[in-house]
Amino acid sequence: MEFEFEVQGGDFSNAGQASSRIKKILKQLNVDPKTIKRTVVALYEGEVNIVAHAWKGKIKVDIETEKIKARLSDEGPGIANIDQAMRDGYSTASEEVREMGFGAGMGLSNMKKNSDEMEIHSEVSQGTTVMIVNYL
Amino acid sequence: MKIEEISEKIEGKVVCGEHRLGEEITCGFSSDLMSDVLTTGSEKLILITGLSNVQLIRTAEMSDISYIVMARGKKVSDEMLNLARENDMVLIETSYSMFRTSGVLFSAGIQPLF
Ligand SMILES: Nc1ncnc2c1ncn2[C@@H]1O[C@H](COP(=O)(O)OP(=O)(O)OP(=O)(O)O)[C@@H](O)[C@H]1O
Ligand SMILES: [Mg+2]
């Protein structure tokens, strides 16, 4: 099963809708609650990153019999140094984003902890693609 | 401890989820950081926060958190209320600070999550 969602940069009131939909679908499919939790936390961190840091993006989720694959790709400023961005505490979030409670610099490492496989590709001034896989 | 007792101890006002007041809470966590909240989650956990926005409710939804205390007089907006109802959450407003709320609940036997 494949699902696709559009995500708008800066649109915090709708941030999380894609992850919320996927959560409901995974529940309906009777996926183990721990796997649901891990998958939606990783997805949500990625979704919020598009809203907080990029201009617009797409989230594609593919649910197969043995795994869940998600691809979050955006058009945005990209990440110049991925190792640095992965480090806990590193954040370029704006003051406005921090006031909402984001910008701890923990999102990418939360994504890594909550996925079985994760890959990031990014090009400065073009955009970022994050792929995660969780096995069922 | 029952949600109802928790709310009384912090002079709280339950603004959503009144039908769940009899449910038992065993542990608590206080934070103003969404990514921090996303590392937690348990059915019997109460979140104490100084945040009050729609993202907070979304974040709680993703973390499987059902009980939230908004400290320091933060008000719940209609948009938050709608999303919280959709997810059958309990929201409590209190004028107590995060520190005081945490202290009162800790002294009353609510266990720290970490
Ligand atoms: N999709 C993206 N596009 C551009 N930059 C990004 C993207 N995702 C992450 N980054 C960069 O990597 C940094 C770290 O991301 P991470 O998600 O770990 O923390 P954060 O979003 O700043 O804060 P938190 O996720 O804890 O609320 C960001 O501050 C930003 O500089
Ligand atoms: Mg982030």
Side-chain angles (χ1 to χ4, degrees):
Chain A
M1 268 184 287
E2 245 185 55
F3 302 89
E4 209 176 298
F5 305 89
E6 305 270 334
V7 182
Q8 205 50 51
D11 184 8
F12 276 95
S13 45
N14 290 309
Q17 274 188 2
S19 309
S20 175
R21 276 285 311 284
I22 294 297
K23 184 174 184 181
K24 290 185 178 104
I25 291 162
L26 294 176
K27 267 192 185 160
Q28 270 167 11
L29 293 171
N30 273 321
V31 172
D32 156 56
K34 262 184 122 167
T35 309
I36 296 182
K37 173 86 188 278
R38 275 165 50 81
T39 305
V40 302
V41 165
L43 266 179
Y44 180 62
E45 288 283 16
E47 186 174 357
V48 171
N49 275 352
I50 298 175
V51 175
H53 307 296
W55 308 318
K56 63 174 187 170
K58 261 196 193 116
I59 300 180
K60 247 170 93 172
V61 180
D62 199 356
I63 305 170
E64 299 172 5
T65 42
E66 80 288 10
K67 63 178 184 254
I68 306 166
K69 289 193 303 194
R71 182 192 172 90
L72 302 96
S73 51
D74 66 56
E75 291 170 29
I79 304 173
N81 184 337
I82 291 172
D83 287 337
Q84 182 186 43
M86 289 290 304
R87 231 172 280 143
D88 267 356
Y90 177 82
S91 177
T92 60
S94 67
E95 194 50 44
E96 196 193 347
V97 168
R98 284 172 202 268
E99 266 169 27
M100 284 185 239
F102 297 103
M106 290 168 67
L108 288 173
S109 65
N110 268 356
M111 282 181 92
K112 183 145 186 95
K113 281 181 204 133
N114 285 288
S115 55
D116 294 330
E117 289 166 20
M118 172 169 153
E119 250 180 71
I120 308 181
H121 300 281
S122 191
E123 218 158 313
V124 173
S125 330
Q126 304 263 318
T128 302
T129 299
V130 184
M131 277 168 295
I132 52 173
V133 178
N134 274 351
Y135 290 93
L136 293 169
Chain B
M1 189 183 301
K2 290 203 167 33
I3 283 288
E4 187 163 23
E5 274 174 81
I6 287 181
S7 180
E8 276 166 20
K9 281 191 196 302
I10 57 175
E11 297 183 56
K13 182 176 159 206
V14 179
V15 293
C16 185
E18 292 85 351
H19 63 286
R20 299 186 67 177
L21 289 180
E23 294 174 18
E24 289 281 338
I25 298 295
T26 54
C27 60
F29 183 70
S30 307
S31 180
D32 275 350
L33 292 170
M34 303 287 186
S35 283
D36 213 10
V37 173
L38 286 164
T39 64
T40 72
S42 125
E43 273 166 29
K44 307 212 144 120
L45 174 83
I46 191 156
L47 171 68
I48 299 160
T49 183
L51 296 169
S52 183
N53 53 37
V54 183
Q55 295 75 47
L56 169 69
I57 309 296
R58 270 287 176 227
T59 301
E61 175 194 348
M62 298 306 151
S63 303
D64 297 323
I65 293 174
S66 293
Y67 314 98
I68 312 175
V69 176
M70 259 76 45
R72 201 97 205 277
K74 293 276 161 57
K75 295 290 173 221
V76 172
S77 68
D78 288 345
E79 204 183 353
M80 288 171 71
L81 209 51
N82 287 339
L83 195 55
R85 285 213 185 99
E86 211 176 280
N87 288 288
D88 196 24
M89 292 172 180
V90 178
L91 303 185
I92 303 173
E93 294 173 348
T94 178
S95 58
Y96 287 17
S97 66
M98 266 171 83
F99 181 76
R100 186 167 177 193
T101 304
S102 308
V104 168
L105 298 187
F106 183 82
S107 310
I110 299 292
Q111 296 295 308
L113 182 64
F114 297 116

